[in-house]
């Protein structure tokens, strides 16, 4: 077999066989196929597309390029949850304790943030002492003891995706249905859970900007998961404004804690209960998503989910006093308000701009080596649909570098658009694909 023939076949719109897909995934992962040939193939796939069977084979080859985690020592149906990436998305920190409090074992691997989207691992590291790298045996013991553990993804999970994703990132070949679904699902299917709940974001702060594209991506991933024998359910949700009010690591963990105390913003509370309800159903603890939702609501209200968060933090070496003392989080030294210059209603808050502005305040990294400022971020005092009076504070930017904070304010201001009439409410949960 030869890479040139494979590139030619795809360039001409041909269908790649399993052997050809296995060949280039293995060859590229092992460094035997150079970047220039892989780039050419990715661009051919981008334009000519892959059908579902090719995408399935690609997913499988990438999954098998590294370790496939064995979680059989954990009792019960393990349920994973994945978001395709958003701004202000701290739902893992809320839904994982809720689902665990309802008896669903959570043994989850999460990622770090890159670019304008945040990552759960960075958020968890805002909790003093919290360890995100722990031995496999301890990880399994923790889940068996407390019902919950979330760690950083190891380099041994789908290494092919790691290499291919880095190349896609610099060759303008990220936003292709097959490449995105294979990338996400290869990692999820290698992570060992029995069921997967996917939160597929849709809107200006997401890979998929339109509802139709987001539904198609969701359906592809659901089919890939089910074809691999894992019950997979997707929820298509809005990402036309940041989720909740807090964007940035410490700020988001505080908002997650407040949500578990019952004081969370409406959108984050609603999405968390919906996702947790689906996880509880997928984990066999409820007969329907609706019953799962009610169970989730109950443990949120009676404090059991918050108690589970405390056990989770302590299990991974973190200081659980943060739950009642937010001064224990890394502290900002500068803050600057964004003031409204007009009366009216907030019509839009561009999620992508807020995500980038938060990154530039110090909350995210531009390269993997960058150190992040865990105190940095943006707090939105107003959300889409809120009435605003000239002079009112729209948002506050936090951080430890005054120049970065000032620069972030200039950027974040541009995210807001106003209307004279009250805008229509954005529908947060757009579709559930079972
Ligand atoms: N997230 C991933 O892990 N891969 C993609 O291709 C896009 C989003």
């Amino acid at each position: 077999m030869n890479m040139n023939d494979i590139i030619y076949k795809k360039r001409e719109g041909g269908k790649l066989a399993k052997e050809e897909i296995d060949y280039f995934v293995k060859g590229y992962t092992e460094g035997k196929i150079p970047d220039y040939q892989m780039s050419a193939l990715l661009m051919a796939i981008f334009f000519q597309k892959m059908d579902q069977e090719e995408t399935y084979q690609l997913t499988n080859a990438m999954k098998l390029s590294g370790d496939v985690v064995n979680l059989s020592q954990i009792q019960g149906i393990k349920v994973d949850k994945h978001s395709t990436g958003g701004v202000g998305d701290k739902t893992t920190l809320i839904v994982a304790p809720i689902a665990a409090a309802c008896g669903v074992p959570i043994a989850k691997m999460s990622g770090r943030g890159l670019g304008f989207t945040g990552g759960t691992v960075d958020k968890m590291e805002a909790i003093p002492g919290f360890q995100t790298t722990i031995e496999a045996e301890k990880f399994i013991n923790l889940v068996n003891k407390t019902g919950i553990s979330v760690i950083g993804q190891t380099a041994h999970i789908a290494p092919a995706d790691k290499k291919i994703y880095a190349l896609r990132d610099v060759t303008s070949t990220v936003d292709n249905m097959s490449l995105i679904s294979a990338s996400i699902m290869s990692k999820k299917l290698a992570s060992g859970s029995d069921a997967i709940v996917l939160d597929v974001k849709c809107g200006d702060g997401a890979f998929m900007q339109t509802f139709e594209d987001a539904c198609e991506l969701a359906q592809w991933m659901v089919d890939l998961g089910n074809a691999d024998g894992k019950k997979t359910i997707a929820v298509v949700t809005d990402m036309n404004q940041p989720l909740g009010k807090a964007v940035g690591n410490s700020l988001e963990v505080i908002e997650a804690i407040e949500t578990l105390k019952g004081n969370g913003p409406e959108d984050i509370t609603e999405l968390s209960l919906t996702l947790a309800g689906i996880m509880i159903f997928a984990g066999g603890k409820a007969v329907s998503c609706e019953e799962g939702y009610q169970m989730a609501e109950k443990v949120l209200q009676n404090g059991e989910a918050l108690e589970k968060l405390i056990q989770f933090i302590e299990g991974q070496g973190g200081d659980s006093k943060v739950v009642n003392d937010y001064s224990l989080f890394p502290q900002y030294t500068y803050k600057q308000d964004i003031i409204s210059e007009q009366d009216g209603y907030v019509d839009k808050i561009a999620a992508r701009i807020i995500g980038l502005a938060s990154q530039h305040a110090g909350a995210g990294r531009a390269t993997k080596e960058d150190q992040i400022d865990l105190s940095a971020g943006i707090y939105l005092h107003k959300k889409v649909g809120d009435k605003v009076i000239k002079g009112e504070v729209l948002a506050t930017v936090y951080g430890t570098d005054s120049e970065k904070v000032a620069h972030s304010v200039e950027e974040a201001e541009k995210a807001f658009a106003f209307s004279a009439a009250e805008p229509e409410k954005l529908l947060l949960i757009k579709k559930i694909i079972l």
Side-chain angles (χ1 to χ4, degrees):
M1 215 171 297
N2 130 3
M3 188 62 175
N4 199 17
D5 294 345
I6 296 175
I7 299 168
Y8 178 78
K9 187 173 180 185
K10 188 39 87 184
R11 192 196 79 182
E12 294 304 303
K15 175 169 171 160
L16 299 181
K18 174 183 183 324
E19 296 68 35
E20 291 166 322
I21 293 171
D22 288 347
Y23 173 84
F24 76 73
V25 170
K26 189 164 186 289
Y28 186 63
T29 311
E30 290 174 355
K32 292 180 185 149
I33 291 172
D35 283 353
Y36 57 83
Q37 283 192 312
M38 192 63 189
S39 306
L41 179 62
L42 289 170
M43 195 54 88
I45 293 172
F46 184 88
F47 282 116
Q48 294 291 3
K49 305 193 169 39
M50 279 181 144
D51 69 11
Q52 278 195 306
E53 198 186 334
E54 289 173 290
T55 308
Y56 174 76
Q57 298 302 352
L58 178 63
T59 309
N60 205 38
M62 292 191 347
K63 170 184 120 177
L64 297 177
S65 67
D67 295 345
V68 176
V69 179
N70 180 354
L71 296 178
S72 59
Q73 284 172 280
I74 300 172
Q75 297 98 40
I77 302 172
K78 280 77 67 185
V79 184
D80 198 352
K81 172 245 158 204
H82 180 80
S83 151
T84 58
V87 178
D89 187 355
K90 67 285 290 173
T91 49
T92 293
L93 297 170
I94 305 162
V95 300
I98 293 179
C102 292
V104 178
I106 304 292
K108 183 169 164 46
M109 290 185 190
S110 284
R112 292 191 183 276
L114 191 64
F116 69 91
T117 63
T120 303
V121 169
D122 294 327
K123 290 170 202 178
M124 294 190 303
E125 285 177 354
I127 300 168
F130 196 100
Q131 300 299 313
T132 55
T133 310
I134 52 181
E135 292 297 318
E137 197 184 327
K138 185 173 174 205
F139 174 60
I140 287 173
N141 288 344
L142 268 176
V143 184
N144 276 332
K145 191 168 151 223
T146 64
I148 180 170
S149 182
V150 182
I151 57 172
Q153 189 177 294
T154 72
H156 310 296
I157 299 288
D161 174 63
K162 211 172 176 166
K163 272 194 91 174
I164 296 172
Y165 190 84
L167 193 62
R168 286 167 58 211
D169 212 14
V170 292
T171 54
S172 261
T173 50
V174 170
D175 46 347
N176 168 274
M177 210 63 82
S178 295
L179 296 176
I180 296 180
S181 11
S183 165
I184 293 175
M185 293 308 286
S186 60
K187 287 174 287 204
K188 290 289 110 184
L189 296 173
S191 300
S193 284
D194 306 301
I196 301 161
V197 176
L198 300 163
D199 179 1
V200 180
K201 303 289 186 194
C202 153
D204 103 81
F207 283 111
M208 294 295 148
Q209 313 255 311
T210 68
F211 176 62
E212 291 70 29
D213 283 350
C215 288
E216 196 181 339
L217 176 66
Q219 189 67 58
W220 279 63
M221 293 197 290
V222 165
D223 291 345
L224 285 170
N226 288 331
D228 206 59
K230 316 261 178 189
K231 189 184 187 85
T232 305
I233 303 174
V235 191
V236 177
T237 66
D238 184 73
M239 190 32 77
N240 276 308
Q241 67 170 331
L243 197 54
K245 296 183 170 182
V247 181
N249 299 290
S250 296
L251 294 172
E252 291 193 41
V253 182
I254 293 170
E255 187 165 83
I257 295 169
E258 282 297 311
T259 304
L260 287 169
K261 288 178 179 173
N263 309 322
E266 204 183 313
D267 58 352
I268 197 91
T269 304
E270 182 57 20
L271 179 59
S272 300
L273 290 173
T274 302
L275 289 170
I278 297 171
M279 289 171 79
I280 296 162
F281 165 63
K285 300 289 175 190
V287 295
S288 64
C289 298
E290 292 72 29
E291 192 192 27
Y293 185 102
Q294 285 161 10
M295 288 170 71
E297 221 172 7
K298 189 167 165 214
V299 296
L300 186 77
Q301 283 162 2
N302 68 14
E304 286 177 30
L306 184 66
E307 185 51 40
K308 192 54 76 182
L309 176 78
I310 292 170
Q311 289 173 16
F312 167 43
I313 294 174
E314 288 173 354
Q316 292 189 219
D319 183 355
S320 65
K321 290 200 289 298
V322 290
V323 166
N324 292 313
D325 182 358
Y326 299 149
S327 73
L328 295 172
F329 281 101
Q331 296 294 303
Y332 63 88
T333 43
Y334 295 98
K335 69 170 188 163
Q336 199 174 321
D337 290 334
I338 298 175
I339 308 288
S340 178
E341 287 174 5
Q342 61 197 96
D343 296 334
Y345 290 89
V346 179
D347 190 39
K348 284 197 178 66
I349 308 175
R352 188 176 287 259
I353 298 180
I354 294 290
L356 280 169
S358 168
Q359 179 195 347
H360 298 155
R365 43 177 95 67
T367 71
K368 288 210 179 76
E369 289 69 38
D370 286 353
Q371 283 289 322
I372 56 179
D373 174 356
L374 292 164
S375 75
I378 301 178
Y379 191 84
L380 303 169
H381 300 280
K382 298 284 177 185
K383 296 267 298 186
V384 171
D386 285 351
K387 202 168 187 335
V388 56
I389 299 166
K390 188 175 171 183
E392 261 190 302
V393 180
L394 296 170
T396 307
V397 180
Y398 298 92
T400 54
D401 180 322
S402 60
E403 267 180 42
K404 284 187 181 174
V405 168
H407 175 62
S408 170
V409 165
E410 278 173 29
E411 278 184 283
E413 275 171 345
K414 300 191 185 102
F416 288 85
F418 303 90
S419 59
E422 190 172 354
E424 253 182 58
K425 223 171 173 285
L426 295 172
L427 183 66
L428 178 62
I429 294 154
K430 293 171 173 290
K431 191 170 178 177
I432 298 180
I433 298 174
L434 284 165

